[in-house]
Amino acid sequence: MLQSLAGSSCVRLVERHRSAWCFGFLVLGYLLYLVFGAVVFSSVELPYEDLLRQELRKLKRRFLEEHECLSEPQLEQFLGRVLEASNYGVSVLSNASGNWNWDFTSALFFASTVLSTTGYGHTVPLSDGGKAFCIIYSVIGIPFTLLFLTAVVQRVTIHVTRRPVLYFHVRWGFSKQAVAIVHAVLLGVVTVSCFFFIPAAVFSVLEDDWNFLESFYFCFISLSTIGLGDYVPGEGYNQKFRELYKIGITCYLLLGLIAMLVVLETFCELHELKKFRKMFYVKKDKEEDQMHIIEHDQLSFSSITDQAAGVKEDQKQNEPFVSPQPPALADGASDH
């Protein structure tokens, strides 16, 4: 008997705080996912980093042996300056791109990566004035971009998602949930094909050093706004039609970002995902909300009646004094 009572009380306790338990498992799962990613990246990339470090040490040692007139501190000073310039997008190699990093098309591409929070990091402001302007430009531009994307995605979603689903539901009588799921899957396939596979094939042809996997990797890193900066198009040696190419990439990034947000919004509107998300939200107590509403209405009504009573008393006090008529005169007036 006691065990059944204890078990029922535990079940009621769990059900009462179900949202909190789900949120706790969500936080734990996210932390475990972070640790899992760190373990995998470290185990995969650390051996390659060690090999690269060993190769660089061998090259440095061989270079110093072949050039005895050059000391190691001088070489390190030169290499440090070269690496610092490389971080700002300037290279001293003879086969590097001879184009400027801050012409109009490159600056337009940089502005689009800043406002979309992609931020490849291949080109950064050199001057203090440029850095200060970048801060002010981002503070104003990023919320402006969010507003712009929200408005565009809301309008596109109406024509691309809601109206087609409603049409098939009303015209053909299909289940609205089933139509929404099929539509979301088809929209996802079309978006991946048009903004990942096809652009990856194009980039693999236009970029000499990129294969299809690297091109697909760039598309995903860019449209997900991760922007690692290890692959940036249009930076190769003697890139043909570089200005037009940069403008095309800028348009691709904006359109691809809008398409990704439309797909995410379409999947978020699915009934199953809405139910799943609600598991982790704080549930409002309807009885408490109703009590707050009733108390608020009672307070408002009482305040209104008090104000009305006060106004009536003020009117009575302000009215001129009128003596009441005697009852006999009143009866006589009524007889006449």
Side-chain angles (χ1 to χ4, degrees):
M1 183 67 180
L2 293 176
Q3 292 180 354
S4 62
L5 290 176
S8 61
S9 62
C10 292
V11 171
R12 287 196 300 269
L13 180 64
V14 172
E15 289 294 331
R16 185 180 305 172
H17 302 283
R18 184 179 180 182
S19 177
W21 284 102
C22 292
F23 179 74
F25 285 121
L26 178 65
V27 173
L28 180 61
Y30 186 75
L31 294 177
L32 291 177
Y33 193 73
L34 285 176
V35 174
F36 170 73
V39 171
V40 172
F41 283 126
S42 177
S43 60
V44 172
E45 296 296 331
L46 190 59
Y48 288 93
E49 181 185 358
D50 184 54
L51 290 176
L52 184 58
R53 287 177 179 271
Q54 294 179 8
E55 182 181 358
L56 289 177
R57 291 193 190 100
K58 292 179 181 179
L59 290 175
K60 178 183 175 183
R61 190 180 307 113
R62 186 184 306 170
F63 183 83
L64 290 174
E65 291 175 355
E66 294 176 355
H67 303 81
E68 297 179 355
C69 60
L70 183 64
S71 63
E72 185 174 357
Q74 291 176 342
L75 178 61
E76 289 185 353
Q77 183 180 2
F78 172 74
L79 293 177
R81 183 56 180 165
V82 170
L83 292 175
E84 183 181 357
S86 179
N87 291 332
Y88 287 97
V90 179
S91 177
V92 297
L93 298 177
S94 59
N95 61 347
S97 176
N99 298 298
W100 294 91
N101 292 323
W102 290 104
D103 55 356
F104 177 75
T105 54
S106 299
L108 180 65
F109 179 69
F110 172 78
S112 66
T113 58
V114 169
L115 296 183
S116 62
T117 66
T118 303
Y120 293 113
H122 69 294
T123 302
V124 293
L126 300 175
S127 62
D128 293 338
K131 294 174 183 177
F133 176 75
C134 185
I135 295 174
I136 300 173
Y137 185 73
S138 302
V139 168
I140 300 175
I142 291 176
F144 189 25
T145 303
L146 293 176
L147 176 62
F148 165 73
L149 292 177
T150 302
V152 172
V153 169
Q154 191 267 342
R155 283 164 172 75
V156 173
T157 304
I158 293 175
H159 297 282
V160 173
T161 298
R162 295 175 184 173
R163 288 186 179 178
V165 171
L166 186 61
Y167 173 79
F168 280 98
H169 172 65
V170 175
R171 181 69 175 81
W172 301 100
F174 295 112
S175 173
K176 192 173 182 179
Q177 296 180 7
V179 173
I181 293 174
V182 174
H183 175 268
V185 173
L186 291 177
L187 184 62
V189 171
V190 172
T191 302
V192 170
S193 300
C194 295
F195 290 94
F196 286 92
F197 286 106
I198 296 177
V202 174
F203 283 127
S204 63
V205 174
L206 296 179
E207 298 291 333
D208 296 332
D209 299 332
W210 294 12
N211 56 29
F212 182 80
L213 177 60
E214 293 171 337
S215 301
F216 190 88
Y217 169 80
F218 163 76
C219 295
F220 177 80
I221 293 297
S222 299
L223 297 185
S224 59
T225 68
I226 298 174
L228 297 178
D230 48 351
Y231 290 92
V232 180
E235 299 297 326
Y237 179 64
N238 290 333
Q239 180 70 51
K240 296 181 180 179
F241 307 104
R242 184 174 183 270
E243 291 77 11
L244 184 61
Y245 189 33
K246 284 286 187 179
I247 294 176
I249 295 170
T250 303
C251 296
Y252 161 73
L253 292 177
L254 291 176
L255 293 177
L257 186 58
I258 292 173
M260 290 288 291
L261 292 175
V262 169
V263 172
L264 290 177
E265 181 68 19
T266 301
F267 274 93
C268 288
E269 289 186 355
L270 294 178
H271 180 68
E272 289 77 8
L273 289 181
K274 286 183 178 179
K275 290 176 61 178
F276 180 73
R277 294 201 312 271
K278 288 181 180 179
M279 294 173 56
F280 308 101
Y281 294 164
V282 177
K283 295 182 180 180
K284 294 182 179 180
D285 193 352
K286 295 183 179 179
E287 295 181 357
E288 292 183 359
D289 292 342
Q290 291 176 358
M291 290 298 296
H292 288 309
I293 294 173
I294 292 173
E295 291 176 358
H296 178 73
D297 292 342
Q298 289 178 349
L299 290 174
S300 301
F301 180 75
S302 62
S303 62
I304 291 173
T305 53
D306 292 340
Q307 290 178 0
V311 170
K312 288 182 179 180
E313 290 180 359
D314 293 338
Q315 289 179 352
K316 287 182 180 179
Q317 291 178 359
N318 294 328
E319 285 179 356
F321 178 76
V322 179
S323 60
Q325 293 182 353
L329 293 176
D331 294 336
S334 61
D335 291 337
H336 289 291

